[in-house]
Amino acid sequence: SVAAQSAQQGASATRPLAFGIGESMVYDVKYGMFNVGTARMEVVGLDSVRGRKVWHTKLEIKGGIPGYRVHDVLESWIDVETFSSLRHRQETVEGKRERTKVYEIYPERGVYREDAKPERPTVSNPLDEGAFIFFVRNQPLEIGTQYDFPRYFIPDRNPVTVIAARKESLT
């Protein structure tokens, strides 16, 4: 269950999720003092992947400078019971370069597949980029503490290090 997973990650078993369906946050993207775009992070809703109930989340970044535009979309489908990624989609447009990648992640078998490529091994309780943001938001972080999480779904890119620098409230 979600409560059991939260407890396993070091939170209280009664700790509520730090996000909810329909949540949407918009950020200004800055380069130095210049506003160069926006980012939007949202919990799209509940969905189903391979018969499992999932949260569908989305992070979209739009912007750039004259002559170089960026439009990146990261979508995640996170298992409600295990808080593991089951699917991850990356749509990237940066300048003249465009690409889309879809990852199918099978935590129960310990493998993932990128598009039509062969399966590769993954870690226990894997998370993709977008899922990691929601996972970290739900952790009881202490200011000034460094955390290493070996949960990124591509094993050689672990651990993901998070430093709790400060706490901010967003409206």
Side-chain angles (χ1 to χ4, degrees):
S1 74
V2 174
Q5 182 67 20
S6 293
Q8 179 183 345
Q9 297 304 328
S12 164
T14 59
R15 180 184 173 92
L17 287 173
F19 59 88
I21 295 171
E23 170 186 284
S24 179
M25 293 183 276
V26 179
Y27 302 89
D28 289 329
V29 178
K30 296 191 178 281
Y31 182 74
M33 60 190 265
F34 300 104
N35 188 353
V36 295
T38 59
R40 178 186 179 105
M41 186 168 76
E42 64 183 310
V43 180
V44 178
L46 288 173
D47 201 346
S48 177
V49 172
R50 297 187 297 273
R52 293 161 76 172
K53 192 175 187 180
V54 294
W55 288 294
H56 177 194
T57 65
K58 183 176 178 181
L59 172 61
E60 184 170 14
I61 302 166
K62 291 181 182 181
I65 57 173
Y68 188 85
R69 303 302 297 166
V70 172
H71 184 193
D72 294 345
V73 178
L74 299 175
E75 290 183 274
S76 302
W77 287 264
I78 309 161
D79 187 296
V80 168
E81 292 296 318
T82 65
F83 212 99
S84 294
S85 296
L86 299 185
R87 179 175 294 147
H88 178 53
R89 182 177 180 276
Q90 299 175 344
E91 181 181 323
T92 307
V93 178
E94 296 175 353
K96 294 180 181 181
R97 183 176 164 188
E98 295 184 30
R99 74 172 189 252
T100 300
K101 293 181 181 182
V102 177
Y103 296 91
E104 292 293 333
I105 305 167
Y106 303 89
E108 66 284 354
R109 294 193 298 125
V111 296
Y112 75 94
R113 186 181 73 239
E114 175 189 340
D115 299 320
K117 295 179 182 177
E119 290 182 347
R120 302 194 60 173
T122 191
V123 300
S124 296
N125 299 311
L127 296 170
D128 62 74
E129 288 93 328
F132 236 111
I133 294 170
F134 288 93
F135 167 76
V136 169
R137 285 183 55 205
N138 214 51
Q139 299 307 300
L141 306 176
E142 293 185 31
I143 304 304
T145 303
Q146 175 178 311
Y147 300 87
D148 291 321
F149 298 109
R151 292 192 56 186
Y152 187 65
F153 78 105
I154 301 174
D156 65 359
R157 298 184 186 170
N158 280 301
V160 173
T161 300
V162 174
I163 299 171
R166 66 184 177 275
K167 182 176 182 173
E168 292 183 35
S169 294
L170 301 176
T171 306

